[in-house]
Each structure stands twice: as C-alpha cells, then as structure tokens.
Amino acid sequence: MRCNKIEEKILDFIEGNIEIEEKNKIEEHLRECKNCKNLYNDFLFIIDNSKKIETPKIDKNFWKVKFNSIIEKEVSHPHLKLKPLYLSIPFFILIFSFVLFVKIHLPYKKFTQFSGYDYELLFSEETILKYVDYIDENEAAKIIEFILKENN
Amino acid sequence: MKGKENFEECYVKYANKIYGVVYKMLNNHEDAIDIVQEVFLKLYKNWSKFKGLSKMSTYLYRIAINISYDYLKKKNKMKKLENLNCENFSYLSFKDNFLTNFKNEEIINEIKKEIDNLTEKQKAIFILKTYEELTYEEIARILKKRVGTIKATYFQILQKIRENLKKKGVIKNEMQ
C-alpha cells in the first residue's frame, strides 16, 4: 500500500472503521514506513490529548433552575406569533394613503401639466366656466377636452 | 413532539451535552450557559413544529453550533497565536507522554491553544468528531456539508495541529 493511500485511510484505521484485510495491509505498511507511522502516532497523540481537555462539571440541579428560567421567560414575554400581522398594518395604511393621494392629485397634476396654469381642477361645469373667463378660448377648449377624456 | 413534559425531559437529557460542545467552542463558561439557554429557548418556541424528521441531538447540535458561530463572529474570539516563543517541550515518545503529569498539562494547554486558533467551522468539526465522537455522516447532517468534505477537513485540522505542535517542539520533528 502506498503512503497516499495510508493518508486516505488513516482516520478510519484510527477509529477502527476498516475491513480486516485493509487493516492488516495498513499495519504492515506502518511497520515499514517511518513517515506514516509518525503520522499515525501524532494523530493519535493529538486526539488522545484533546480528549483530556476538561469541561467544567455542572450539577443537574443547576440545569433544573435554568430550565425553569426558560419557562418563566417564555411565560412573561411570550413571543408574538402575530408579529408579522402587526407589522403589516402600518404598511397597509401607508400604501392606502399613497394610493389615495395619487387618486386625488393625479388629475390636478395632469391638468397643470397640460394647461400650464397652477390652479385646482374642479369638475363642475359652473366652476369650469368661472375659470374660462380668465383664460383664452384655446386653453378653455383644451381644458374641456381634457375633462371629457378623463370622464370617459 | 408535544407536551412541555417531553421538553423538560429533552432539556435534562441534552443540556449538559450541548453545554460541553458550546463550552469547547467558546472556551467560556458563562457564555456557554447563555448559549445553552438560547438553544433551548429556540427549541421551546419551535417545540410544536419539531416533527422528529432528524434526530433531536442533530437538531440541537445544529442550533448550538450556529449560535456559537454567531457569537464567535461577534466577539471576534478567534485569537491568533499570542506568542510563538513559548517553551519547547521535549517530546519523548507517544507512550512516555503519560509518564509525567506536568508535561501532560502543558501539552494539553498547547493543544487547547491550537483548537482555539481553528476557524469556527474547523472547531465545530473537531469538537463534534473528537469529543462527541459522532460519525462523519452525523456531522455532515448537522453542518449540512458532504461527508467527504467533513472527513477531509478533519484530516486537515489534525495535520495543521500536528505541524504547529512540531514547530513548537511539542511533537518531535523527525526531520530534525
């Protein structure tokens, strides 16, 4: 067996997850190859010594107290299941206001763009006639044409 | 998964296990306790949704590792080697390392430093494999990676630690 094959199999060999036939081949190679033997020994050394790193021991009662704190936390501050709905309300209000604004102001904008005069568009005939006094005939015709188009 | 009694059972069963993993990831007791609480709080909120498609331990390990990743990123805990001019240990032989306690302690400390210097992902793989003794398949499921990737990374981690320990003289360099 070659050294690169040993590298591939060394972890399985350390864990014992390997077929007997392959295990024998690796053992045979390790007896002959110093580099691979060192690799095997060093890996074992690292794994073995890593396992000696201790974790603080914690009493079971400690976890019971901690468990209760989770429950208390959840009871006193239950997570809001309807949170997205609550958040969406102001969003919809905003959208609605915007649409309303556009609906109200769009004809006015269109009108001012069309006529060049900066006054509000009122749709009653009486009001239109009132404004007609102050503008020339062509402008008045344009306004009426525009209103008719809008109403259609 | 239903019922708060089952949740309590699950907590008692896994809290210490999760604490062990998180503690090794962060190397800090207080923060590890907080993260264990966060893991179980998350589980508690999703308790009714947990259908048991994956093992509970896999699910908990995944949450714990993810929260630990975030923690490490936030706190920038990944310290680089503080100093390389540490004492040189004379590595005797594999068996001889167990003869003197003092040297063993130093060796363990050096390995601990090496683990601390791994990236978050390497650390997770190393801890799950070495301490929790999970299979490569289980780790792959927890970290959502391919089995081959996990295995190759574990090999690279061991090689990296080996090289650094050789540089420090903790492991005898055969080429010298």
Side-chain angles (χ1 to χ4, degrees):
Chain A
M1 199 177 259
R2 285 181 157 198
C3 292
N4 59 348
K5 273 277 163 200
I6 295 293
E7 280 193 6
E8 269 176 36
K9 305 272 176 188
I10 198 80
L11 291 175
D12 290 328
F13 179 75
I14 288 171
E15 285 173 42
N17 293 332
I18 205 154
E19 302 271 321
I20 292 184
E21 202 182 317
E22 210 154 28
K23 187 184 164 224
N24 291 337
K25 279 183 190 171
I26 293 172
E27 281 174 348
E28 198 184 314
H29 181 92
L30 291 179
R31 274 193 287 273
E32 291 161 6
C33 176
K34 207 179 171 188
N35 279 343
C36 289
K37 195 186 169 191
N38 285 335
L39 180 81
Y40 168 72
N41 274 339
D42 293 347
F43 277 10
L44 262 189
F45 173 78
I46 294 164
I47 293 168
D48 209 73
N49 279 292
S50 298
K51 284 181 180 171
K52 289 180 188 168
I53 298 172
E54 285 180 4
T55 308
K57 296 273 176 288
I58 295 181
D59 192 68
K60 271 198 171 180
N61 288 328
F62 173 84
W63 290 120
K64 276 185 185 166
V65 174
K66 285 282 173 188
F67 172 79
N68 291 333
S69 78
I70 287 187
I71 304 297
E72 278 164 23
K73 201 174 174 181
E74 193 50 21
V75 170
S76 56
H77 304 288
H79 57 288
L80 294 170
K81 280 182 181 168
L82 294 171
K83 212 172 176 181
L85 185 71
Y86 287 137
L87 286 173
S88 64
I89 291 170
F91 177 74
F92 280 115
I93 290 173
L94 209 72
I95 294 286
F96 181 74
S97 311
F98 178 73
V99 171
L100 211 67
F101 174 84
V102 169
K103 269 274 181 200
I104 292 168
H105 287 82
L106 202 62
Y108 166 70
K109 278 181 182 169
K110 272 183 182 172
F111 177 72
T112 50
Q113 200 180 7
F114 178 74
S115 67
Y117 291 100
D118 191 19
Y119 48 78
E120 261 185 294
L121 173 68
L122 300 169
F123 289 96
S124 73
E125 198 182 338
E126 190 190 342
T127 317
I128 294 296
L129 285 171
K130 195 177 112 189
Y131 284 115
V132 164
D133 289 342
Y134 300 99
I135 54 176
D136 64 44
E137 225 171 282
N138 288 336
E139 287 291 343
K142 281 177 188 175
I143 293 166
I144 290 160
E145 196 182 285
F146 173 77
I147 293 164
L148 287 173
K149 214 186 268 177
E150 281 295 305
N151 287 339
N152 289 334
Chain B
M1 286 287 198
K2 294 270 182 307
K4 296 291 171 274
E5 299 80 16
N6 287 343
F7 177 72
E8 188 171 0
E9 230 170 74
C10 171
Y11 185 89
V12 172
K13 191 176 172 187
Y14 292 109
N16 222 19
K17 228 173 163 44
I18 298 300
Y19 167 79
V21 173
V22 177
Y23 175 81
K24 286 186 182 87
M25 287 283 291
L26 313 180
N27 214 359
N28 182 314
H29 170 73
E30 297 298 325
D31 293 335
I33 297 283
D34 286 347
I35 288 182
V36 171
Q37 291 299 92
E38 212 178 315
V39 168
F40 281 95
L41 193 65
K42 226 170 197 178
L43 178 69
Y44 186 82
K45 284 174 182 174
N46 294 300
W47 187 247
S48 55
K49 288 180 207 160
F50 187 77
K51 295 195 169 64
L53 295 174
S54 63
K55 270 166 72 181
M56 179 58 79
S57 57
T58 306
Y59 184 69
L60 287 172
Y61 279 134
R62 189 178 296 155
I63 304 174
I65 297 281
N66 285 337
I67 298 176
S68 302
Y69 279 173
D70 292 343
Y71 174 90
L72 288 171
K73 275 176 200 161
K74 266 186 212 163
K75 295 267 176 179
N76 198 16
K77 278 262 173 170
M78 302 307 291
K79 286 180 237 157
K80 297 289 164 200
L81 273 177
E82 282 159 8
N83 46 27
L84 286 167
N85 55 343
C86 55
E87 283 177 65
N88 278 351
F89 303 106
S90 55
Y91 176 69
L92 307 165
S93 75
F94 183 53
K95 283 175 192 163
D96 291 338
N97 284 317
F98 303 99
L99 293 178
T100 55
N101 277 333
F102 180 71
K103 272 184 181 161
N104 271 344
E105 256 175 51
E106 285 179 319
I107 291 163
I108 291 165
N109 277 338
E110 285 306 317
I111 292 177
K112 209 172 170 180
K113 274 187 201 170
E114 290 303 323
I115 297 167
D116 268 350
N117 283 309
L118 296 173
T119 64
E120 293 100 334
K121 275 176 190 165
Q122 287 176 332
K123 221 182 217 185
I125 293 171
F126 187 80
I127 290 164
L128 294 175
K129 186 69 211 158
T130 313
Y131 303 109
E132 299 303 305
E133 296 179 345
L134 300 185
T135 62
Y136 295 110
E137 287 76 12
E138 282 171 315
I139 301 172
R141 272 198 293 276
I142 291 166
L143 301 177
K144 292 181 178 173
K145 298 252 184 243
R146 284 162 59 192
V147 177
T149 311
I150 300 292
K151 211 169 176 181
T153 312
Y154 188 59
F155 184 87
Q156 284 163 11
I157 294 165
L158 289 173
Q159 273 287 37
K160 187 179 170 183
I161 296 175
R162 183 185 184 224
E163 290 310 313
N164 288 337
L165 292 180
K166 268 186 183 179
K167 277 180 200 163
K168 291 178 181 180
V170 180
I171 288 179
K172 195 177 164 187
N173 196 339
E174 292 295 323
M175 301 303 283
Q176 282 174 350

